[in-house]
Amino acid sequence: MKQDRELDLAKRFLTAIGCCYSKIESNDRPDINVAIGNRNIGIEVTEFHADRGSERKPGEQTLRQAGEESARKNPGQPYTMAIPTSPYQGLEASIVDKIDKAARYDLSRVDHFGC
């Protein structure tokens, strides 16, 4: 299911930027392999949540997790949920995490970066 979602997001992104591709498939590390022209490109998909890194203490829930738990405990009832005032901390955490993971990927199936 996760791979289906990643594939759908990658297709939507490529379509939105007007990119024509001949082959696209789910993979692991990187998430998507796509043939664009005569190049094999690897795409890593990340769904960003602005509250990433919003834990108040190590191991404590993020703001989103706390809100989701409140909704589950009281189905159909209104509830309050704190939101971050700036997405930058979460965005930075996501980018740093992705760079760390990508450094360990086997990129032998894809062409090196560049257009």
Side-chain angles (χ1 to χ4, degrees):
M1 182 149 190
K2 181 179 182 244
Q3 286 186 329
D4 291 339
R5 175 114 174 104
E6 291 170 344
L7 186 60
D8 179 60
L9 289 170
K11 286 178 180 178
R12 289 172 48 200
F13 170 73
L14 292 169
T15 299
I17 64 170
C19 185
C20 298
Y21 55 90
S22 57
K23 181 180 176 184
I24 188 167
E25 61 188 5
S26 292
N27 194 32
D28 189 33
R29 298 183 182 140
D31 297 323
I32 304 294
N33 284 339
V34 61
I36 300 173
N38 62 352
R39 301 186 116 181
N40 292 314
I41 307 296
I43 298 175
E44 190 64 22
V45 178
T46 300
E47 291 190 57
F48 169 70
H49 297 280
D51 72 335
R52 179 163 181 188
S54 67
E55 299 88 352
R56 291 169 298 286
K57 295 178 188 170
E60 195 173 22
Q61 294 177 318
T62 64
L63 298 173
R64 180 174 35 88
Q65 289 168 330
E68 289 172 352
E69 183 178 325
S70 180
R72 273 192 306 276
K73 287 181 178 178
N74 303 297
Q77 299 297 314
Y79 64 94
T80 60
M81 185 173 111
I83 59 170
T85 57
S86 171
Y88 296 120
Q89 180 182 3
L91 183 59
E92 180 181 4
S94 293
I95 291 169
V96 168
D97 181 54
K98 193 57 70 169
I99 290 170
D100 289 345
K101 286 180 182 177
R104 297 185 298 273
Y105 288 177
D106 173 11
L107 299 177
S108 62
R109 297 180 307 259
V110 299
D111 294 318
H112 290 280
F113 300 107
C115 296

